[in-house]
Amino acid sequence: MKNTIQYIGVALFCAFFGTAQQAPAPAQTGTVVIEGATAHLGNGEVIENSLIIFEEGKLSFVGPATTKIARKGTQIKGEGKHVYPGFIAPSTSLGLIEINAVRATDDQDELGEMIPHVRSLIAYNAESKVVESMRPNGVLLGQITPMGGRISGTSSIVQFDAWNWEDAAVKVDDGIHLRWPNTFRQGKWWQGEERGYHQNEEYQEQVTKVEVFLKNARAYGDGAGEGLNPAFAAMQGTFDGSQKLYVYADGEKEIIDAITLAKDSGVKNVVLVGGYHAYKITDFLKENDIPVLVQFTHNLPVFEDEDYDLPYKLPKLLVDAGLLVGLQNGEASNFQTRNLAFYAGQLVGQGMDKENALKLITGNSATILGIDENYGTLAQGKSATLFVSEGDALDMRGNRLTHAFIDGREISLETHQTELWKRYSEKYETGK
């Protein structure tokens, strides 16, 4: 039986990797002009009849099509279409795991509890077919984040069209990821405990371990440590402000405890990830200038006494409170990251303005991740990382890309998924 399972795993691996990813696009050589489309700039603004020009990977003009300026190079007719900045997926392990059932393709976590020196970037698989499948939905960049442990490691931000991790890197080692302990835990029914939530008796002990680690890491940076300690050395960017500390917490107490401890330990920039109950303590978050990468909206409430639609409206509640908010895929499977646009679209149904919803996966996420100088919005001088859609990209009925560019390079929108779609569309049309 064991051998049979191994054979099946190998067969799946071979089938999945039987054909390589589309070859990355070459560098942009000429000028590209997109005229007549509705341009959604990613900062809340819209240009109905737009003119977008880019060359050498940078946007040279973004404005109304009525502007008198020379049109040269490749011209794309945008009438009736929409242009968006490339969507950004924070806090994802894309490229670190391909098939959950095949251990050889799973490199998203390492052994150990406090391992900030584990770098996700060097394990990133630029030829991942799962990564490739993000592009037809407009997801063109991502923060590749390690999982596991209390301090999981160091993330990096990449673009999704590259030969290898060196080519993919947009921002190297941007932050450390701390998964805060919970005050309550699920009952281990298989060990005789009752189902449901129980108080975590080890919470304070777990918090103390984090506190001691942060204080020792700070002392190490101040010269108090002896010898080389890779874990402590990896934390220094969080104390000098060159890296951010991404804290994963959901409950009110957990959020307050985590942010207070991080600030008291000398961490300069903290980002809250998850924040399920963050809407209850928005004043605290604003006071401490904490942005939130909130969980995806397609979810169910955790507790019985919560509003049935809390996950749907949570990002809007935080935005309405004046917080800087971005959307992330949370604990959903990696492949669901391609639905990022539809998570944002869900907020429109909750009353959020469509352009503000778009900001949660473009301009806001770029600002939170620290890549807003080049990505996240359509503006002169920024990277030409954008796409053209036949309709509303936040609606699955309109999210049909015709062109996509990363740093001005026109990338392929063909993937394993589109191949299957075409194959079975033909089968359906023929009635066989």
Side-chain angles (χ1 to χ4, degrees), residues 332-390:
S333 297
N334 259 349
F335 70 87
Q336 293 185 28
T337 305
R338 68 172 72 104
N339 293 324
L340 198 63
F342 311 138
Y343 301 154
Q346 177 74 53
L347 294 171
V348 179
Q350 297 297 319
M352 181 179 282
D353 176 78
K354 185 173 294 185
E355 300 308 315
N356 287 334
L358 175 66
K359 288 168 62 177
L360 271 60
I361 56 176
T362 54
N364 284 12
S365 289
T367 300
I368 293 171
L369 299 181
I371 59 172
D372 51 306
E373 183 177 350
N374 287 310
Y375 300 93
T377 57
L378 301 178
Q380 185 174 335
K382 289 194 174 186
S383 168
T385 298
L386 52 91
F387 65 87
V388 180
S389 174
E390 292 183 1

Side-chain angles (χ1 to χ4, degrees), residues 41 43 58-62 377-383:
L41 305 188
N43 60 0
K58 296 289 185 179
L59 290 162
S60 56
F61 183 84
V62 178
T377 57
L378 301 178
Q380 185 174 335
K382 289 194 174 186
S383 168

Side-chain angles (χ1 to χ4, degrees), residues 113-118 150-154 173-178 210-222 229-247 261-262 265-270:
E113 187 174 18
M114 305 291 187
I115 49 175
H117 52 297
V118 171
R150 182 66 62 203
I151 298 181
S152 305
T154 303
D173 299 338
D174 71 290
I176 307 293
H177 295 257
L178 167 60
V210 175
E211 181 179 14
V212 170
F213 182 85
L214 291 178
K215 287 183 176 179
N216 286 341
R218 179 68 182 273
Y220 176 88
D222 291 338
N229 187 310
F232 291 162
M235 292 295 300
Q236 299 313 304
T238 63
F239 301 126
D240 63 25
S242 61
Q243 290 179 307
K244 297 183 179 181
L245 181 66
Y246 295 87
V247 176
L261 177 57
S265 300
V267 175
K268 299 294 185 184
N269 299 310
V270 179

Side-chain angles (χ1 to χ4, degrees), residues 34-53 59 61-65 78-85 355 358 377-379 386-389 391:
I34 305 173
E35 185 170 4
T38 299
H40 305 263
L41 305 188
N43 60 0
E45 299 178 15
V46 178
I47 302 175
E48 294 293 344
N49 180 24
S50 69
L51 175 64
I52 296 175
I53 304 174
L59 290 162
F61 183 84
V62 178
E79 290 83 358
K81 297 179 181 178
H82 299 257
V83 179
Y84 296 85
E355 300 308 315
L358 175 66
T377 57
L378 301 178
L386 52 91
F387 65 87
V388 180
S389 174

Side-chain angles (χ1 to χ4, degrees), residues 198-215:
H198 300 264
Q199 186 172 353
N200 179 10
E201 302 293 344
E202 300 176 353
Y203 176 75
Q204 193 54 54
E205 179 184 346
Q206 293 167 343
V207 170
T208 300
K209 287 182 179 180
V210 175
E211 181 179 14
V212 170
F213 182 85
L214 291 178
K215 287 183 176 179

